[in-house]
Amino acid sequence: MAKAGSDKNTKNKSKHSKLMDRKKNKLREKEEAHKERLKALNEKIQQSKNQ
């Protein structure tokens, strides 16, 4: 038989998914920034080799 009253986990689930999305976005941005720095460094090295 179904429980009477409000649903059990809806608020916590939404909070949790919101926080996990925030965490994933933070990691993704960090990774992208790292790749950009490496790309810039690589270009600088290539330019110094060509000169």
Side-chain angles (χ1 to χ4, degrees):
M1 187 156 184
K3 179 182 164 190
S6 62
D7 293 334
K8 187 175 178 186
N9 277 342
T10 55
K11 290 180 184 176
N12 287 340
K13 280 184 183 178
S14 63
K15 275 186 181 179
H16 181 260
S17 61
K18 183 179 173 183
L19 290 174
M20 292 307 292
D21 289 342
R22 216 185 272 173
K23 182 179 179 180
K24 286 179 186 176
N25 286 337
K26 185 178 179 182
L27 288 174
R28 190 177 300 125
E29 288 172 1
K30 211 177 205 183
E31 218 172 277
E32 288 175 9
H34 184 69
K35 284 181 183 179
E36 287 296 320
R37 273 182 279 162
L38 286 177
K39 190 182 285 187
L41 188 62
N42 244 348
E43 289 175 3
K44 190 176 179 182
I45 291 170
Q46 289 299 324
Q47 286 178 354
S48 67
K49 281 185 179 179
N50 290 337
Q51 289 179 355

